[in-house]
Amino acid sequence: MPPLSIGAAVNWQGTPDRNTDYATSLAAALADPLEQSRATGALVIGYGPDGPGRAYSLAQELDTYLPVAQVMTVDLNHQAVSILDEGRWSDPEPVADATDFALRLDRVAPAADRDAMIQRYAPLPQPTYSVATPAQRAAIQDTLPSQRVAMVVERLDAIAAPRSDVGPGPRAAAAHAIVSDKTVRDGVITQSVDRTDRTEALLQLYRGAPQAYRGDLATVAGVTDYLTNQGSASATAILEHADRTGPNAGLAELTRTAIDAGVPPERMKTDPARIQAAVERADENHRAQQRRAAGSPTNPRAAVQQPPTGTDGPRRPRPAADTGPGVSR
């Protein structure tokens, strides 16, 4: 399982000769959220011409609160990384791009400043896929909720894979399955929590979503990010784009309130067994709905089984209306 992580982007103002003073206050400010997140180590990255000195100073101060696993500095202009080893900086090592850098760190490449971080969690300028087609929607509605959860999780794993080639059609189907049923939504969140790869894939699915899906998927991505990464900065940035009204607005607002109140993400997690039981109940409701539909007089197969008019043969009761298992749209 990929490690949990919490990120903080700091816009460091001031002169290099005040590195130590600022690093002391900054480390103290980070101590409480680090403790709440149950972090076990720190990775310190400095940017810009003053990055090496500031990264070193902050690492020295943070080490009083938790072990610092690695200290590095990034030269964005020359796409190079230097690593601090036993008090000395290594020679700059070229890095092809941010993706390569992220793979070396086994995590998402950190943002250079707060604006860059916020932009990373905003929707893309243009959607990368459209809403599901009528045929896709009908096929999704015809499958069991548990099958929809499995389909979405499989797509998320494919999206998260290196050099992913998941096309617009599969992304649209996965997005529609999530936003059209709360039980499926909860099942997907549960199977993505504590999986940074699936959490990142949900982020990609939301960022590239068409307007019709964007707000709902922002809720799912934001909640999963909050529970997985044990922090609030990225989740808050994502939830800024979540719907304020609609079927997922309550979940988004609950998460925002928890973040503002400093509630540890662990307390917000739902027992996976409870979610699994809800999915199983939804499956049973779906099967029952299909059975009732199969016995409806409007069903051609059922129509030939109806007794002729005027006979005393048994009559099948008219089925009650059923909106399906937790359908929200």
Side-chain angles (χ1 to χ4, degrees), residues 32-55:
D32 186 53
L34 287 172
E35 181 180 358
Q36 290 185 19
S37 71
R38 301 179 184 177
T40 58
L43 168 68
V44 180
I45 304 173
Y47 293 88
D50 298 322
R54 291 172 173 176

Side-chain angles (χ1 to χ4, degrees), residues 146-166:
S146 61
Q147 294 173 330
R148 300 178 213 174
V149 173
M151 178 271 288
V152 173
V153 170
E154 181 181 349
R155 298 280 166 81
L156 293 178
D157 288 344
I159 291 172
R163 298 178 178 84
S164 171
D165 60 354
V166 180

Side-chain angles (χ1 to χ4, degrees), residues 243-262:
D243 281 344
R244 302 284 173 163
T245 60
N248 293 294
L251 179 59
E253 184 58 30
L254 176 65
T255 307
R256 291 190 198 96
T257 301
I259 292 173
D260 293 342

Side-chain angles (χ1 to χ4, degrees), residues 136-207:
Q136 285 180 314
R137 295 197 295 270
I140 290 168
Q141 184 62 29
D142 198 42
T143 59
L144 295 173
S146 61
Q147 294 173 330
R148 300 178 213 174
V149 173
M151 178 271 288
V152 173
V153 170
E154 181 181 349
R155 298 280 166 81
L156 293 178
D157 288 344
I159 291 172
R163 298 178 178 84
S164 171
D165 60 354
V166 180
R171 289 174 187 257
H176 184 82
I178 294 173
V179 306
S180 62
D181 192 311
K182 288 184 179 180
T183 302
V184 175
R185 176 201 72 184
D186 293 346
V188 170
I189 291 175
T190 299
Q191 293 201 33
S192 301
V193 167
D194 294 341
R195 288 286 302 263
T196 53
D197 52 347
R198 289 179 186 167
T199 299
E200 175 67 17
L202 279 171
L203 174 65
Q204 292 186 36
L205 199 64
Y206 135 68
R207 294 191 70 203

Side-chain angles (χ1 to χ4, degrees), residues 40-159:
T40 58
L43 168 68
V44 180
I45 304 173
Y47 293 88
D50 298 322
R54 291 172 173 176
Y56 177 80
S57 297
L58 180 57
Q60 292 291 99
E61 297 300 324
L62 272 179
D63 197 54
T64 63
Y65 300 100
L66 80 166
V68 175
Q70 195 170 63
V71 184
M72 61 177 60
T73 181
V74 179
D75 185 338
L76 295 175
N77 291 327
H78 297 92
Q79 296 285 293
V81 175
S82 297
I83 298 175
L84 186 66
D85 185 18
E86 296 184 354
R88 299 183 61 183
W89 290 103
S90 68
D91 292 334
E93 180 182 355
V95 178
D97 53 27
T99 301
D100 187 19
F101 181 46
L103 291 174
R104 294 188 187 202
L105 294 177
D106 192 27
R107 68 195 69 198
V108 175
D113 53 42
R114 183 172 179 81
D115 289 341
M117 184 200 72
I118 292 174
Q119 186 60 37
R120 170 169 155 38
Y121 298 107
L124 297 177
Q126 296 294 329
T128 58
Y129 60 93
S130 302
V131 297
T133 65
Q136 285 180 314
R137 295 197 295 270
I140 290 168
Q141 184 62 29
D142 198 42
T143 59
L144 295 173
S146 61
Q147 294 173 330
R148 300 178 213 174
V149 173
M151 178 271 288
V152 173
V153 170
E154 181 181 349
R155 298 280 166 81
L156 293 178
D157 288 344
I159 291 172

